[in-house]
Amino acid sequence: MAMVKNGITNIRRFCVILSLFAAVVSDAYAQAFDYADAVSKSLLYFEAQRSGRLPYKQRVTWRDNSGLTDGLEQGVDLVGGYYDAGDHVKFGLPMAFTVTMLSWGVIEYGEAILGVGELDHALEAIKWGTDYFIKAHTSPNVLWSEVGDGDTDHYCWQRPEDMTTSRQAYKIDETNPGSDLAGETAAAMAAASIVFRKINPHYSHLLLHHARQLFEFGDKYRGKYDESVGVVKNYYASVSGYKDELLWAALWLYQATDTEHYLNYAIDNAYSFGGTGWAMTEFSWDVKFAGLQVLAAKLLMQRKHKQHTKTLEQYKSKAEYFLCACLGKNGNDSSSNVQRTPGGLLYIRQWNNMQYVSSAAFLLTVYSDYLQTTNQNLHCHKGTVSHRELLSFARSQVDYILGSNPMKISYLVGYGTNYPKRVHHRGASIVSYKENKAFIGCTQGYDNWYGRPDPNPNILTGALVGGPDFDDNFRDDRGNFMQTEACTYNTAPLVGVFAKLNQLEGTKFGSNEYSSSVASY
């Protein structure tokens, strides 16, 4: 009898243990995210932002042709490209950065993107931008920098298909230089040339031709583009200047061509241009230092270019400062680390903070790969960090974006069931042109659509909105543009990161080093 009782007791204990294990596993899966779905949705966003004549295979069907006379007044074809955010201006600098980051994502994680069946869409997103840059680069020393202007555009709330605002086009040239814009566009075309090298060699060569010319133009005729194109100052002013873009372009051209001239440029100008001097805590469409420092660090970690070891070590030191700042491991001085919300989100500034989160997540992820490949660790003031810990933190930021946050909301529109429904976006907030072709004027859009409390009639799938405030609070209101407006450069860095994380799903429960670095909700 005692043996039977002991047997029953042991069975009960086993059942309790089994149920506890099941609960743990269930909870772990409850926190899991469908990164493959996030890749697919992210790439849809770029189709929603297209300007020009839409292709027959356009998947975002609530959009239609727009901006078909862009450049006509100036006698140049500037049809195409992307609207940067919720308005209808085509701003060259953020558009080029968007394409650079999309291309870098494919360069690093092309196989992973292919693995979720989205590589063709990623290539289309890149090419929609580079096709426009080819048009905009009308001669070696002329680059059209902007179509439309923010001031008149912001007076109107219209669908892009109804646009009545100014489509004035602006350019940089020898007498009106813009080294930052020329440099970033050169970087975008050089990075894209790597993407297309094997699948479309002719196009790749064409992109490299333009990239070389643009870099030479930007370097020879130096100046900030916002001083030549004054209308951009209130929207995309070049606060960091142009030296970071020239270094950035040189390193991308070196990656694309293996020509020592470009590497020597980045080495010779490393100090005077701030590449080895500026220690940054943000990486963005304006401030490229952390990105170019990571590129330079990769060259060092590959054990190439021993003659440049000293300078590359200095680049690497600054790259690691950025990464350690994101991890909060740069000592006790708060100014040397990136702040975080109580929920663990990196927080740079109030307006569109998510752009800094997505770009940081990308650099953290690629650097984790570099460390793993070379069997190295990251050395911060507060200790040594493994590649796993670096990737774990990057994933914590991505998971916050997808819903692991105090608001339990996905800041990637269309992902999951709880996401922003009132995105600050003209086209998404007004009935589709496909459904109602009746013209909607400037004030009519404001009167009838902008202030409506209802959700947007069109879902801006894949858009990463500005996100929560410093206390993790978010108000889903179309007029709350600091939090509800999305931009192309917010989503662009995430495409590759989502694909990488999807690829790692099979090892999710293999090591506790991959556990979340921030609070889970």
Side-chain angles (χ1 to χ4, degrees), residues 16-32 509:
V16 170
I17 292 170
L18 192 63
S19 65
L20 287 171
F21 175 76
V24 169
V25 172
S26 175
D27 183 63
Y29 275 101
Q31 290 297 319
F509 301 111

Side-chain angles (χ1 to χ4, degrees), residues 340-357 397 400-412 420 464-476 480-485 490:
R340 294 188 208 173
T341 68
L345 183 72
L346 293 171
Y347 196 85
I348 300 291
R349 55 181 58 91
Q350 185 181 17
W351 194 307
N352 189 20
N353 181 64
M354 279 301 188
Q355 65 174 304
Y356 308 109
V357 179
Q397 299 301 295
Y400 185 110
I401 287 170
L402 295 180
S404 184
N405 57 64
M407 298 286 290
K408 299 185 186 302
I409 184 172
S410 165
Y411 292 106
L412 190 76
L464 177 60
V465 297
D469 64 19
F470 189 58
D471 295 314
D472 295 299
N473 296 317
F474 178 79
R475 182 167 53 87
D476 187 12
N480 180 22
F481 46 82
M482 286 194 289
Q483 293 189 327
T484 62
E485 188 167 25
N490 293 18

Side-chain angles (χ1 to χ4, degrees), residues 33-198:
F33 293 99
D34 188 345
Y35 299 120
D37 186 49
V39 175
S40 301
K41 285 183 163 54
S42 296
L43 288 166
L44 276 171
Y45 171 55
F46 295 98
E47 295 192 21
Q49 294 302 109
R50 284 172 170 170
S51 181
R53 188 171 297 281
L54 303 185
Y56 72 92
K57 54 185 176 180
Q58 169 83 8
R59 296 176 298 160
V60 179
T61 56
W62 52 266
R63 281 293 325 282
D64 206 341
N65 302 330
S66 64
L68 298 183
T69 60
D70 284 358
L72 185 64
E73 292 178 32
Q74 289 74 35
V76 58
D77 178 7
L78 296 177
V79 176
Y82 288 111
Y83 303 122
D84 72 303
D87 52 21
H88 303 138
V89 185
K90 295 192 297 201
F91 292 104
L93 187 58
M95 193 193 306
F97 180 69
T98 295
V99 171
T100 306
M101 295 309 296
L102 282 171
S103 299
W104 197 359
V106 172
I107 291 166
E108 298 286 349
Y109 304 118
E111 286 188 14
I113 297 171
L114 177 64
V116 296
E118 291 293 338
L119 184 59
D120 284 347
H121 292 139
L123 298 179
E124 287 169 8
I126 293 167
K127 194 170 185 293
W128 193 267
T130 51
D131 283 353
Y132 175 75
F133 298 148
I134 290 170
K135 287 182 173 185
H137 186 213
T138 51
S139 63
N141 296 338
V142 175
L143 177 64
W144 292 88
S145 58
E146 182 177 332
V147 179
D149 77 87
D151 293 340
T152 58
D153 182 273
H154 284 195
Y155 286 128
C156 285
W157 194 262
Q158 290 178 291
R159 302 174 296 197
E161 295 84 5
D162 291 328
M163 217 175 345
T164 57
T165 51
S166 168
R167 302 308 286 170
Q168 172 74 38
Y170 304 86
K171 66 180 177 179
I172 55 170
D173 54 27
E174 295 172 11
T175 56
N176 301 284
S179 303
D180 28 26
L181 176 62
E184 182 59 63
T185 311
M189 297 178 101
S193 77
I194 300 172
V195 170
F196 289 104
R197 183 182 290 156
K198 291 183 179 179

Side-chain angles (χ1 to χ4, degrees), residues 213-512:
Q213 283 191 344
L214 282 166
F215 176 74
E216 186 176 340
F217 163 48
D219 186 43
K220 184 175 181 180
Y221 301 96
R222 294 183 183 177
K224 287 174 57 180
Y225 92 116
D226 61 4
E227 293 178 355
S228 296
V229 184
V231 294
V232 80
K233 279 192 174 181
N234 289 332
Y235 303 94
Y236 288 101
S238 183
V239 178
S240 71
Y242 58 79
K243 294 177 180 178
D244 51 338
E245 276 86 8
L246 289 178
L247 291 173
W248 176 242
L251 286 171
W252 274 115
L253 276 161
Y254 177 67
Q255 299 263 15
T257 65
D258 209 29
T259 301
E260 292 292 323
H261 163 71
Y262 297 113
L263 177 60
N264 290 336
Y265 184 96
I267 296 297
D268 295 343
N269 294 289
Y271 178 76
S272 61
F273 280 17
T276 56
W278 283 105
M280 308 304 298
T281 56
E282 75 169 73
F283 173 50
S284 67
W285 60 265
D286 179 32
V287 187
K288 313 294 160 51
F289 287 107
L292 68 92
Q293 288 157 354
V294 164
L295 285 179
K298 181 183 181 182
L299 296 176
L300 179 71
M301 294 159 78
Q302 291 172 332
R303 303 188 187 283
K304 294 181 178 180
H305 317 292
K306 292 183 179 179
Q307 72 274 29
H308 301 311
T309 296
K310 183 178 178 181
T311 303
L312 291 176
E313 284 279 9
Q314 292 171 333
Y315 270 119
K316 180 170 177 277
S317 172
K318 294 301 185 291
E320 298 201 334
Y321 179 95
F322 171 82
L323 300 164
C324 294
C326 292
L327 295 167
K329 291 182 177 290
N330 269 339
N332 297 319
D333 180 8
S334 60
S335 65
S336 63
N337 292 306
V338 180
Q339 290 183 297
R340 294 188 208 173
T341 68
L345 183 72
L346 293 171
Y347 196 85
I348 300 291
R349 55 181 58 91
Q350 185 181 17
W351 194 307
N352 189 20
N353 181 64
M354 279 301 188
Q355 65 174 304
Y356 308 109
V357 179
S358 63
S359 58
F362 184 89
L363 293 188
L364 288 158
T365 303
V366 297
Y367 209 81
S368 169
D369 289 344
Y370 300 163
L371 291 174
Q372 182 179 19
T373 301
T374 56
N375 195 30
Q376 295 183 50
N377 291 315
L378 172 66
H379 299 285
C380 299
H381 182 78
K382 286 189 173 181
T384 300
V385 179
S386 70
H387 73 88
R388 289 185 177 88
E389 187 179 342
L390 206 58
L391 181 61
S392 174
F393 182 71
R395 187 163 68 185
S396 75
Q397 299 301 295
V398 170
D399 287 355
Y400 185 110
I401 287 170
L402 295 180
S404 184
N405 57 64
M407 298 286 290
K408 299 185 186 302
I409 184 172
S410 165
Y411 292 106
L412 190 76
V413 177
Y415 180 90
T417 57
N418 186 24
Y419 52 82
K421 305 294 199 302
R422 298 164 187 83
V423 181
H424 181 92
H425 188 277
R426 289 157 174 76
S429 68
I430 302 175
V431 63
S432 170
Y433 182 80
K434 296 282 188 71
E435 291 185 28
N436 185 350
K437 291 183 169 58
F439 175 76
I440 296 174
C442 285
T443 57
Q444 186 182 355
Y446 273 115
D447 292 343
N448 298 344
W449 296 96
Y450 180 79
R452 293 174 78 225
D454 300 337
N456 289 348
N458 310 304
I459 300 174
L460 193 64
T461 303
L464 177 60
V465 297
D469 64 19
F470 189 58
D471 295 314
D472 295 299
N473 296 317
F474 178 79
R475 182 167 53 87
D476 187 12
D477 184 322
R478 205 169 293 114
N480 180 22
F481 46 82
M482 286 194 289
Q483 293 189 327
T484 62
E485 188 167 25
C487 300
T488 57
Y489 45 86
N490 293 18
T491 297
L494 290 180
V495 175
V497 178
F498 285 145
K500 165 73 175 180
L501 294 176
N502 180 70
Q503 197 175 49
L504 290 172
E505 280 293 85
T507 60
K508 179 184 289 185
F509 301 111
S511 168
N512 61 10

